Amino acid sequence: MTEKLAQTSRLSLTYEEFGNTDAPVMMLIMGLGMQMHSWPDEFCAAIADKGFRVIRFDNRDIGLSQKFEGSRAPRPWQLMLRSRLGLRLKVPYQLHDMAEDLISLMDYLNIASAHIVGASMGGMIAQLVAASFPERTISLTSIMSSSGAQSLPQPSAKVLLQLTRKSATGEQAYLVNAKRTWQMISSPAYPLDDAALEERLLAAYRRSYYPQGLGRQMAAIIASGDRSAMLTKIRVPTLVIHGKDDVLVPVQAGIDTAQKIPGARLELIPGMGHDLPRALFPRFVNEIVGHAASTTAT
């Protein structure tokens, strides 16, 4: 695989493809602050081997895609407080802008429609794509994501404090902080391999460490608010996957998402937290591919 830069009508996005270019397309959208390689090669290749053209990419403001330098976002606690009080939130961009980024990448690649798969924040973006661009969406898979409804359970204070810690300076400080985060939110039934985790985190750091983008993406999530009404308008075939032991986006969020999208199928996985454990790759691939293969473009 070779990373490529797409200069779309909106911005520049770095992407990578797996599989036959003539196969049905599956677009993978990653979560908050995560680069496209968080969809591992093995995972992407397994889906491609099932007959799909898989495309992963760096969202705006992360990885090697376009950065929004000079655009400052309020601190998360300020945004959450203003959101709770119903006050106006001024942020550099919102999730619907990131959904339009995906469509612009599809336009650049001459893709008329695709299966849309998103994890965490990527699931929120995928929901917006399915609701706002149904003609471009063959199917939707929303993984460990949420409708954004304020009535849903929130992460514990401990988890929130860890996520909003001041950005680390230097590789080793970053590594210590990032490992602490992943150990806190990962799947309890599928313990992390410390050496493999460290290798993955260092690779991400050395490719692009850009905490400013993470802050702006977090602001986009908070400012985008409750998408419940929008979810009820989704008509494309939808699969919702969620871990029963997710401490970052509690399982009630997945249940709520599936209940609000007409006809959605819900798969709850015991022992899964807020990550994609390698041991679950076969199940993820079978669920996602099975769902996509059961649908056809209109």
Side-chain angles (χ1 to χ4, degrees):
M1 290 72 63
T2 303
E3 294 183 13
K4 299 177 183 178
L5 184 66
Q7 188 61 57
T8 78
S9 59
R10 294 172 57 79
L11 75 174
S12 59
L13 296 171
T14 298
Y15 71 99
E16 198 165 27
E17 301 190 49
F18 297 72
N20 191 322
T21 55
D22 295 327
V25 178
M26 186 172 291
M27 305 290 296
L28 304 181
I29 316 171
M30 195 24 82
L32 174 67
M34 304 301 293
Q35 300 178 52
M36 66 178 176
H37 292 95
S38 295
W39 298 108
D41 291 358
E42 177 186 355
F43 177 86
C44 297
I47 294 177
D49 287 344
K50 299 285 188 180
F52 291 87
R53 176 187 177 189
V54 178
I55 299 174
R56 64 184 181 185
F57 66 101
D58 288 328
N59 284 308
R60 63 164 63 193
D61 240 355
I62 213 72
L64 302 182
S65 286
Q66 184 172 321
K67 310 298 192 299
F68 283 70
E69 298 282 2
S71 300
R72 297 189 62 182
R75 294 182 64 82
W77 67 266
Q78 294 172 317
L79 285 167
M80 288 187 281
L81 178 60
R82 292 183 68 84
S83 176
R84 289 285 180 181
L85 295 175
L87 300 176
R88 183 173 177 270
L89 304 178
K90 186 176 181 180
V91 296
Y93 52 81
Q94 294 192 25
L95 292 179
H96 70 81
D97 296 299
M98 302 179 79
E100 291 179 359
D101 291 347
L102 172 68
I103 297 299
S104 73
L105 178 58
M106 290 174 62
D107 289 342
Y108 176 87
L109 296 171
N110 295 313
I111 297 170
S113 59
H115 300 280
I116 310 298
V117 179
S120 196
M121 179 189 75
M124 302 173 193
I125 296 168
Q127 294 164 13
L128 284 165
V129 172
S132 303
F133 302 94
E135 74 284 358
R136 309 298 296 271
T137 309
I138 305 172
S139 72
L140 165 66
T141 300
S142 177
I143 306 171
M144 54 190 181
S145 194
S146 172
S147 68
Q150 290 192 354
S151 59
L152 290 169
Q154 300 299 310
S156 67
K158 179 181 178 182
V159 172
L160 282 175
L161 181 62
Q162 175 61 25
L163 288 177
T164 55
R165 291 174 71 93
K166 185 177 179 180
S167 302
T169 302
E171 187 173 277
Q172 285 305 308
Y174 156 82
L175 184 60
V176 169
N177 188 58
K179 286 176 69 174
R180 184 183 295 121
T181 300
W182 283 107
Q183 288 163 352
M184 189 177 293
I185 68 175
S186 64
S187 300
Y190 305 94
L192 296 167
D193 178 280
D194 192 68
L197 174 62
E198 185 168 320
E199 181 181 6
R200 175 165 57 88
L201 292 174
L202 286 175
Y205 180 92
R206 291 165 184 171
R207 181 174 182 262
S208 175
Y209 177 57
Y210 191 66
Q212 301 96 314
L214 184 149
R216 288 191 287 265
Q217 288 184 354
M218 185 176 290
I221 293 173
I222 297 170
S224 295
D226 187 343
R227 296 175 305 284
S228 296
M230 177 273 297
L231 261 59
T232 66
K233 299 176 182 178
I234 294 176
R235 292 295 181 268
V236 302
T238 299
L239 169 65
V240 176
I241 299 174
H242 214 104
K244 287 188 174 182
D245 295 281
D246 192 331
V247 298
L248 181 57
V249 183
V251 66
Q252 290 88 341
I255 296 169
D256 171 74
T257 298
Q259 289 176 339
K260 287 173 177 170
I261 299 177
R265 179 165 65 88
L266 176 63
E267 289 293 330
L268 299 180
I269 303 180
M272 175 184 167
H274 201 78
D275 63 345
L276 300 173
R278 187 176 183 277
L280 287 176
F281 282 4
R283 178 167 181 179
F284 292 144
V285 170
N286 287 337
E287 292 285 0
I288 294 168
V289 167
H291 174 62
S294 68
T295 64
T296 55
T298 57

mmCIF file of all heavy atoms in Angstrom, residues 157-182:
data_model
loop_
_atom_site.group_PDB
_atom_site.id
_atom_site.type_symbol
_atom_site.label_atom_id
_atom_site.label_comp_id
_atom_site.label_asym_id
_atom_site.label_seq_id
_atom_site.Cartn_x
_atom_site.Cartn_y
_atom_site.Cartn_z
ATOM 1 N N ALA A 157 -15.282 10.627 35.846
ATOM 2 C CA ALA A 157 -14.422 11.796 36.021
ATOM 3 C C ALA A 157 -12.957 11.428 35.793
ATOM 4 O O ALA A 157 -12.178 12.207 35.230
ATOM 5 C CB ALA A 157 -14.618 12.379 37.409
ATOM 6 N N LYS A 158 -12.581 10.217 36.205
ATOM 7 C CA LYS A 158 -11.208 9.756 36.037
ATOM 8 C C LYS A 158 -10.829 9.675 34.567
ATOM 9 O O LYS A 158 -9.745 10.119 34.157
ATOM 10 C CB LYS A 158 -11.047 8.385 36.699
ATOM 11 C CG LYS A 158 -9.662 7.782 36.572
ATOM 12 C CD LYS A 158 -9.610 6.407 37.237
ATOM 13 C CE LYS A 158 -8.244 5.762 37.073
ATOM 14 N NZ LYS A 158 -8.207 4.403 37.682
ATOM 15 N N VAL A 159 -11.732 9.126 33.750
ATOM 16 C CA VAL A 159 -11.467 8.999 32.316
ATOM 17 C C VAL A 159 -11.431 10.374 31.658
ATOM 18 O O VAL A 159 -10.538 10.674 30.847
ATOM 19 C CB VAL A 159 -12.524 8.100 31.648
ATOM 20 C CG1 VAL A 159 -12.373 8.113 30.129
ATOM 21 C CG2 VAL A 159 -12.404 6.672 32.175
ATOM 22 N N LEU A 160 -12.391 11.232 32.003
ATOM 23 C CA LEU A 160 -12.426 12.572 31.428
ATOM 24 C C LEU A 160 -11.183 13.366 31.785
ATOM 25 O O LEU A 160 -10.623 14.087 30.943
ATOM 26 C CB LEU A 160 -13.673 13.320 31.915
ATOM 27 C CG LEU A 160 -14.995 12.961 31.228
ATOM 28 C CD1 LEU A 160 -16.143 13.684 31.905
ATOM 29 C CD2 LEU A 160 -14.944 13.304 29.745
ATOM 30 N N LEU A 161 -10.738 13.238 33.013
ATOM 31 C CA LEU A 161 -9.536 13.948 33.448
ATOM 32 C C LEU A 161 -8.326 13.485 32.635
ATOM 33 O O LEU A 161 -7.496 14.299 32.216
ATOM 34 C CB LEU A 161 -9.296 13.714 34.941
ATOM 35 C CG LEU A 161 -8.076 14.416 35.543
ATOM 36 C CD1 LEU A 161 -8.227 15.929 35.434
ATOM 37 C CD2 LEU A 161 -7.882 14.003 36.998
ATOM 38 N N GLN A 162 -8.230 12.181 32.400
ATOM 39 C CA GLN A 162 -7.113 11.658 31.631
ATOM 40 C C GLN A 162 -7.146 12.179 30.183
ATOM 41 O O GLN A 162 -6.117 12.557 29.625
ATOM 42 C CB GLN A 162 -7.147 10.126 31.632
ATOM 43 C CG GLN A 162 -6.095 9.448 30.773
ATOM 44 C CD GLN A 162 -4.670 9.767 31.197
ATOM 45 O OE1 GLN A 162 -4.415 10.104 32.351
ATOM 46 N NE2 GLN A 162 -3.743 9.662 30.255
ATOM 47 N N LEU A 163 -8.330 12.218 29.597
ATOM 48 C CA LEU A 163 -8.457 12.650 28.205
ATOM 49 C C LEU A 163 -8.164 14.136 28.022
ATOM 50 O O LEU A 163 -7.768 14.558 26.930
ATOM 51 C CB LEU A 163 -9.858 12.345 27.676
ATOM 52 C CG LEU A 163 -10.192 10.880 27.423
ATOM 53 C CD1 LEU A 163 -11.639 10.747 26.976
ATOM 54 C CD2 LEU A 163 -9.263 10.277 26.378
ATOM 55 N N THR A 164 -8.375 14.910 29.054
ATOM 56 C CA THR A 164 -8.197 16.355 28.929
ATOM 57 C C THR A 164 -6.902 16.847 29.587
ATOM 58 O O THR A 164 -6.727 18.045 29.797
ATOM 59 C CB THR A 164 -9.399 17.094 29.545
ATOM 60 O OG1 THR A 164 -9.581 16.669 30.905
ATOM 61 C CG2 THR A 164 -10.674 16.807 28.765
ATOM 62 N N ARG A 165 -6.010 15.934 29.883
ATOM 63 C CA ARG A 165 -4.716 16.318 30.446
ATOM 64 C C ARG A 165 -3.954 17.191 29.455
ATOM 65 O O ARG A 165 -4.132 17.082 28.238
ATOM 66 C CB ARG A 165 -3.872 15.082 30.769
ATOM 67 C CG ARG A 165 -4.399 14.247 31.909
ATOM 68 C CD ARG A 165 -3.580 12.979 32.057
ATOM 69 N NE ARG A 165 -2.256 13.252 32.575
ATOM 70 C CZ ARG A 165 -1.929 13.213 33.862
ATOM 71 N NH1 ARG A 165 -2.852 12.914 34.762
ATOM 72 N NH2 ARG A 165 -0.718 13.464 34.265
ATOM 73 N N LYS A 166 -3.091 18.031 29.966
ATOM 74 C CA LYS A 166 -2.251 18.867 29.116
ATOM 75 C C LYS A 166 -1.409 17.991 28.203
ATOM 76 O O LYS A 166 -0.908 16.943 28.609
ATOM 77 C CB LYS A 166 -1.347 19.743 29.981
ATOM 78 C CG LYS A 166 -0.520 20.736 29.185
ATOM 79 C CD LYS A 166 0.308 21.618 30.115
ATOM 80 C CE LYS A 166 1.157 22.598 29.308
ATOM 81 N NZ LYS A 166 1.974 23.466 30.189
ATOM 82 N N SER A 167 -1.265 18.389 26.948
ATOM 83 C CA SER A 167 -0.517 17.606 25.965
ATOM 84 C C SER A 167 0.908 17.362 26.428
ATOM 85 O O SER A 167 1.567 18.264 26.963
ATOM 86 C CB SER A 167 -0.505 18.327 24.617
ATOM 87 O OG SER A 167 -1.806 18.549 24.152
ATOM 88 N N ALA A 168 1.364 16.139 26.216
ATOM 89 C CA ALA A 168 2.720 15.774 26.614
ATOM 90 C C ALA A 168 3.741 16.429 25.691
ATOM 91 O O ALA A 168 3.483 16.641 24.507
ATOM 92 C CB ALA A 168 2.880 14.257 26.559
ATOM 93 N N THR A 169 4.897 16.736 26.255
ATOM 94 C CA THR A 169 6.002 17.304 25.481
ATOM 95 C C THR A 169 7.131 16.287 25.428
ATOM 96 O O THR A 169 7.652 15.885 26.464
ATOM 97 C CB THR A 169 6.506 18.609 26.117
ATOM 98 O OG1 THR A 169 5.422 19.541 26.189
ATOM 99 C CG2 THR A 169 7.626 19.214 25.289
ATOM 100 N N GLY A 170 7.467 15.851 24.226
ATOM 101 C CA GLY A 170 8.531 14.873 24.073
ATOM 102 C C GLY A 170 7.996 13.461 23.943
ATOM 103 O O GLY A 170 6.920 13.130 24.458
ATOM 104 N N GLU A 171 8.782 12.626 23.273
ATOM 105 C CA GLU A 171 8.340 11.276 22.940
ATOM 106 C C GLU A 171 8.044 10.410 24.160
ATOM 107 O O GLU A 171 7.017 9.738 24.214
ATOM 108 C CB GLU A 171 9.401 10.601 22.063
ATOM 109 C CG GLU A 171 8.977 9.244 21.522
ATOM 110 C CD GLU A 171 9.994 8.691 20.533
ATOM 111 O OE1 GLU A 171 9.937 9.077 19.350
ATOM 112 O OE2 GLU A 171 10.856 7.882 20.961
ATOM 113 N N GLN A 172 8.918 10.434 25.140
ATOM 114 C CA GLN A 172 8.728 9.555 26.293
ATOM 115 C C GLN A 172 7.545 9.983 27.143
ATOM 116 O O GLN A 172 6.774 9.144 27.629
ATOM 117 C CB GLN A 172 10.009 9.505 27.135
ATOM 118 C CG GLN A 172 11.109 8.665 26.509
ATOM 119 C CD GLN A 172 10.637 7.248 26.190
ATOM 120 O OE1 GLN A 172 10.080 6.540 27.038
ATOM 121 N NE2 GLN A 172 10.858 6.820 24.956
ATOM 122 N N ALA A 173 7.378 11.297 27.323
ATOM 123 C CA ALA A 173 6.226 11.783 28.084
ATOM 124 C C ALA A 173 4.928 11.425 27.365
ATOM 125 O O ALA A 173 3.940 11.029 28.002
ATOM 126 C CB ALA A 173 6.329 13.293 28.281
ATOM 127 N N TYR A 174 4.941 11.576 26.040
ATOM 128 C CA TYR A 174 3.770 11.183 25.244
ATOM 129 C C TYR A 174 3.475 9.704 25.435
ATOM 130 O O TYR A 174 2.311 9.309 25.627
ATOM 131 C CB TYR A 174 4.027 11.477 23.765
ATOM 132 C CG TYR A 174 3.193 10.621 22.831
ATOM 133 C CD1 TYR A 174 1.876 10.958 22.533
ATOM 134 C CD2 TYR A 174 3.725 9.452 22.275
ATOM 135 C CE1 TYR A 174 1.106 10.154 21.700
ATOM 136 C CE2 TYR A 174 2.963 8.648 21.437
ATOM 137 C CZ TYR A 174 1.659 9.006 21.152
ATOM 138 O OH TYR A 174 0.906 8.198 20.334
ATOM 139 N N LEU A 175 4.505 8.878 25.374
ATOM 140 C CA LEU A 175 4.326 7.433 25.465
ATOM 141 C C LEU A 175 3.711 7.041 26.804
ATOM 142 O O LEU A 175 2.773 6.225 26.858
ATOM 143 C CB LEU A 175 5.666 6.728 25.268
ATOM 144 C CG LEU A 175 5.640 5.199 25.232
ATOM 145 C CD1 LEU A 175 4.764 4.712 24.089
ATOM 146 C CD2 LEU A 175 7.056 4.639 25.108
ATOM 147 N N VAL A 176 4.200 7.619 27.878
ATOM 148 C CA VAL A 176 3.670 7.312 29.211
ATOM 149 C C VAL A 176 2.195 7.690 29.297
ATOM 150 O O VAL A 176 1.352 6.910 29.768
ATOM 151 C CB VAL A 176 4.479 8.051 30.297
ATOM 152 C CG1 VAL A 176 3.776 7.945 31.653
ATOM 153 C CG2 VAL A 176 5.895 7.472 30.387
ATOM 154 N N ASN A 177 1.860 8.891 28.823
ATOM 155 C CA ASN A 177 0.480 9.367 28.908
ATOM 156 C C ASN A 177 -0.455 8.569 28.001
ATOM 157 O O ASN A 177 -1.567 8.200 28.399
ATOM 158 C CB ASN A 177 0.424 10.852 28.532
ATOM 159 C CG ASN A 177 -0.944 11.450 28.779
ATOM 160 O OD1 ASN A 177 -1.448 11.425 29.895
ATOM 161 N ND2 ASN A 177 -1.556 11.983 27.731
ATOM 162 N N ALA A 178 -0.001 8.274 26.781
ATOM 163 C CA ALA A 178 -0.836 7.530 25.835
ATOM 164 C C ALA A 178 -1.082 6.109 26.324
ATOM 165 O O ALA A 178 -2.199 5.583 26.210
ATOM 166 C CB ALA A 178 -0.185 7.517 24.455
ATOM 167 N N LYS A 179 -0.064 5.471 26.880
ATOM 168 C CA LYS A 179 -0.241 4.116 27.417
ATOM 169 C C LYS A 179 -1.234 4.120 28.565
ATOM 170 O O LYS A 179 -2.068 3.213 28.674
ATOM 171 C CB LYS A 179 1.112 3.549 27.867
ATOM 172 C CG LYS A 179 2.021 3.126 26.720
ATOM 173 C CD LYS A 179 3.371 2.666 27.206
ATOM 174 C CE LYS A 179 3.304 1.362 27.966
ATOM 175 N NZ LYS A 179 4.643 0.842 28.312
ATOM 176 N N ARG A 180 -1.177 5.136 29.405
ATOM 177 C CA ARG A 180 -2.113 5.236 30.523
ATOM 178 C C ARG A 180 -3.551 5.348 30.001
ATOM 179 O O ARG A 180 -4.467 4.708 30.531
ATOM 180 C CB ARG A 180 -1.770 6.450 31.378
ATOM 181 C CG ARG A 180 -2.640 6.572 32.622
ATOM 182 C CD ARG A 180 -2.316 7.833 33.412
ATOM 183 N NE ARG A 180 -0.956 7.787 33.949
ATOM 184 C CZ ARG A 180 -0.013 8.671 33.675
ATOM 185 N NH1 ARG A 180 -0.271 9.692 32.863
ATOM 186 N NH2 ARG A 180 1.183 8.576 34.210
ATOM 187 N N THR A 181 -3.731 6.136 28.952
ATOM 188 C CA THR A 181 -5.068 6.296 28.371
ATOM 189 C C THR A 181 -5.597 4.975 27.835
ATOM 190 O O THR A 181 -6.725 4.565 28.139
ATOM 191 C CB THR A 181 -5.049 7.341 27.239
ATOM 192 O OG1 THR A 181 -4.627 8.600 27.760
ATOM 193 C CG2 THR A 181 -6.439 7.480 26.617
ATOM 194 N N TRP A 182 -4.786 4.297 27.023
ATOM 195 C CA TRP A 182 -5.244 3.054 26.407
ATOM 196 C C TRP A 182 -5.475 1.955 27.434
ATOM 197 O O TRP A 182 -6.389 1.143 27.305
ATOM 198 C CB TRP A 182 -4.267 2.605 25.324
ATOM 199 C CG TRP A 182 -4.445 3.403 24.079
ATOM 200 C CD1 TRP A 182 -3.612 4.370 23.580
ATOM 201 C CD2 TRP A 182 -5.559 3.348 23.174
ATOM 202 N NE1 TRP A 182 -4.137 4.908 22.430
ATOM 203 C CE2 TRP A 182 -5.329 4.305 22.163
ATOM 204 C CE3 TRP A 182 -6.721 2.588 23.137
ATOM 205 C CZ2 TRP A 182 -6.229 4.514 21.115
ATOM 206 C CZ3 TRP A 182 -7.621 2.792 22.096
ATOM 207 C CH2 TRP A 182 -7.373 3.740 21.106
#
